[in-house]
Amino acid sequence: MLDKFEWKKWILPVAIGIILWVLTPFRPTAINVQAWHLFAIFIATIIACVTKPLPMMATTIIAIVIATLTGIFKMDEVTAGFGNSTAWMVAMCMFMAAGFIKSGLGKRIAYFFVKTFGKKTLGLAYALSIVETVLAIGIPSNNARVNGIMYPIIDNLSKEMGSDPKQGTQDKMGAYLVFNEYEINIVTSTMFLTGLAGNMVALGIAKTQNITISWMQWFLAALVPGIISLLIVPFVLYKIYPPKIKETPNAHAWADNKLKELGKMTLAEDIMAIVFVLAVALWLVGPKFGIDATLVSFIAVALLLVCGVINVKDILGQSFAWNILTWLSIIMLMSQKLMQLGFFPWFSKTLGSALNGMNWIWVLVILYLAYFYLHYLFPSVSTQISALYAGFLSIAIGAGVPPIMAALMLALDGSLYLSTSSYSAGPAALLSSTGYVSNKDWWKLSAIIGVILNIIWLGGGLIWTKVIGMW
């Protein structure tokens, strides 16, 4: 049976694309015809990624076919585009994440920290925050961490402590822990390049504008703001959204029982732990030995396959990984071509001149905050990054912001802006619908924590990056 044809969702992208194409004779003289035509296709594609008449993978495939039929790309360029290292790194990290969940290592880590630090509700929140931080290093899907590991544990633990939305007792403890998980998930997604697929998408786009940022550079820039956020967020929420249960002496026994149910660490967990530590070590020092971050992710997946922690069926089942590999490769291919054809340099110079004379720090602040609050209009991380990141980056560079600072701060912003709405991304959609946190509280708390995160990461981040010599 044919899928329902969402023709209304095609109207805007097709109309904009045709209008821009027809306006070719009136294009800026600095832009050649081929660049303008690709710009028309690119904008139409991005709008279609927002209106979603089809999934992004299908939309981008249609776009690259049109661009090839019109002579903008040669088929050899298109096929070569699917060898993009950033896109493959995202996919490989997704495959590695499957090992965390399948082996059970993620749950074991969570139960261990709950058992060790869970005597008080605030301590429990910090314990779960540590778990989130550890998992974020090797699981680049915030959905996988929340859906597959963290929420089931928080839900079961809350109900064990007598906090259940169905009983109207969610405010005893569960509401606080659920919202804390949401915000901490945002922080950990921002701390590591591999903490969120969107991070790698952003830096992949930055690479098309000749800006390269390593795993280690990202980690160093995010380290201090990240630690401050991990310390402040649970405490602030404890004060403004306090749980009724302050002491959780039963949490230790509950976690201990869960660990006993799991039994001794299995061989799969041991291997997963070893591969995880190896991957982190290589992400940190690998570039010194000619091993880049993408190769590290390939090595980790290869080891997991050889040792049987995951299998080919597990890899083929990661539909999100294959989906993002396809559309990201195409988006980056078009972005890189726009760079080669001189469109982005012209764009950055033209719009950047409008901000000429303004200190670049203020330019970055304005763009950062605009980029953050525009997420209220977007229901996903990848959609906004695909739609706005390249343009914002070009404007920043054109206005005199140091390229590495422009690319890095906007990329960090691309996960922090999840502290906005109940539809900001998958974790928000899931956790806001569990009944633990009311819709009113969700929006209010997101706004408050969003301001705090902006102060820490924008204000504190600029100070910290200055200290470590990034500008």
Side-chain angles (χ1 to χ4, degrees):
M1 184 176 178
L2 292 173
D3 291 337
K4 183 179 179 182
F5 183 64
E6 301 277 2
W7 65 270
K8 291 182 179 179
K9 296 181 179 179
W10 282 111
I11 294 176
L12 186 59
V14 171
I16 295 297
I18 292 174
I19 289 171
L20 288 173
W21 194 285
V22 170
L23 289 175
T24 300
F26 306 100
R27 72 190 185 280
T29 55
I31 301 298
N32 63 36
V33 172
Q34 194 178 43
W36 186 262
H37 284 173
L38 180 55
F39 171 65
I41 296 171
F42 185 74
I43 292 299
T45 303
I46 295 305
I47 294 173
C49 288
V50 176
T51 60
K52 291 189 176 178
L54 290 173
M56 287 179 68
M57 178 177 174
T59 300
T60 53
I61 288 176
I62 293 169
I64 202 66
V65 168
I66 294 172
T68 304
L69 289 175
T70 52
I72 298 171
F73 286 103
K74 295 180 179 178
M75 201 59 217
D76 287 345
E77 288 181 281
V78 175
T79 53
F82 286 96
N84 184 279
S85 63
T86 301
W88 276 104
M89 180 181 177
V90 175
M92 287 296 134
C93 286
M94 291 294 178
F95 301 151
M96 187 167 66
F100 256 106
I101 295 173
K102 183 180 180 181
S103 68
L105 180 61
K107 286 186 177 180
R108 185 181 295 276
I109 293 171
Y111 292 141
F112 170 78
F113 278 100
V114 169
K115 175 184 175 181
T116 306
F117 301 104
K119 295 180 181 179
K120 295 184 178 181
T121 304
L122 182 58
L124 194 57
Y126 279 117
L128 292 168
S129 298
I130 295 173
V131 176
E132 246 292 339
T133 305
V134 173
L135 297 179
I137 301 174
I139 302 181
S141 168
N142 53 358
N143 278 312
R145 297 199 303 274
V146 171
N147 298 9
I149 298 174
M150 299 304 296
Y151 175 68
I153 290 174
I154 291 172
D155 183 46
N156 289 332
L157 176 59
S158 297
K159 290 175 179 176
E160 185 74 18
M161 300 297 132
S163 183
D164 186 347
K166 293 181 179 179
Q167 305 298 324
T169 56
Q170 64 273 8
D171 56 350
K172 282 188 175 181
M173 186 177 73
Y176 166 69
L177 291 181
V178 164
F179 198 80
N180 183 71
E181 164 58 22
Y182 169 63
E183 292 293 345
I184 291 299
N185 180 264
I186 293 171
V187 173
T188 60
S189 294
T190 312
M191 285 183 70
F192 308 101
L193 175 58
T194 46
L196 187 69
N199 299 341
M200 292 174 274
V201 173
L203 291 197
I205 294 173
K207 191 177 291 186
T208 66
Q209 298 194 34
N210 301 317
I211 305 168
T212 301
I213 297 173
S214 68
W215 194 96
M216 188 62 175
Q217 284 177 302
W218 181 293
F219 175 68
L220 287 176
L223 180 60
V224 169
I227 291 174
I228 293 173
S229 299
L230 290 173
L231 293 173
I232 288 179
V233 170
F235 182 76
V236 170
L237 283 175
Y238 190 78
K239 293 297 183 181
I240 65 174
Y241 195 56
K244 290 183 177 179
I245 297 176
K246 311 295 184 183
E247 306 285 336
T248 56
N250 296 335
H252 174 90
W254 175 83
D256 190 47
N257 288 333
K258 290 293 184 181
L259 286 170
K260 288 178 181 178
E261 288 177 12
L262 290 177
K264 294 182 178 180
M265 281 187 69
T266 63
L267 180 60
E269 287 179 279
D270 288 333
I271 295 171
M272 185 67 235
I274 293 170
V275 171
F276 174 59
V277 172
L278 175 63
V280 173
L282 289 176
W283 276 325
L284 290 171
V285 302
K288 295 181 180 179
F289 303 96
I291 304 174
D292 69 8
T294 302
L295 179 55
V296 172
S297 61
F298 267 90
I299 292 171
V301 171
L303 289 173
L304 294 177
L305 285 168
V306 169
C307 297
V309 177
I310 58 175
N311 54 40
V312 173
K313 186 177 180 180
D314 296 322
I315 288 179
L316 292 176
Q318 294 294 311
S319 58
F320 180 74
W322 295 111
N323 179 49
I324 199 171
L325 175 63
T326 302
W327 70 254
L328 177 57
S329 296
I330 294 173
I331 287 290
M332 290 178 61
L333 178 62
M334 289 196 290
S335 181
Q336 188 171 26
K337 189 74 170 183
L338 284 169
M339 185 72 179
Q340 292 172 355
L341 293 172
F343 183 87
F344 279 135
W346 167 83
F347 183 78
S348 63
K349 183 178 179 181
T350 302
L351 293 185
S353 63
L355 300 170
N356 190 33
M358 184 181 293
N359 185 283
W360 70 261
I361 292 180
W362 286 113
V363 172
L364 184 57
V365 168
I366 292 169
L367 293 174
Y368 178 101
L369 292 176
Y371 194 62
F372 183 96
Y373 287 106
L374 278 170
H375 194 64
Y376 279 106
L377 304 177
F378 291 87
S380 78
V381 174
S382 55
T383 301
Q384 180 169 337
I385 292 173
S386 300
L388 301 180
Y389 182 82
F392 272 58
L393 178 59
S394 292
I395 294 171
I397 294 172
V401 180
I404 193 169
M405 285 299 297
L408 182 60
M409 293 301 290
L410 289 173
L412 293 171
D413 201 7
S415 46
L416 291 170
Y417 60 38
L418 294 179
S419 186
T420 44
S421 68
S422 57
Y423 52 81
S424 65
L430 168 73
L431 296 177
S432 65
S433 63
T434 60
Y436 278 105
V437 184
S438 69
N439 190 54
K440 177 182 177 181
D441 286 340
W442 192 277
W443 284 77
K444 179 183 70 176
L445 293 170
S446 293
I448 294 171
I449 301 300
V451 170
I452 292 172
L453 291 179
N454 282 333
I455 292 171
I456 294 172
W457 287 85
L458 178 55
L462 283 170
I463 294 172
W464 170 241
T465 50
K466 177 67 173 177
V467 171
I468 60 177
M470 295 191 77
W471 57 277

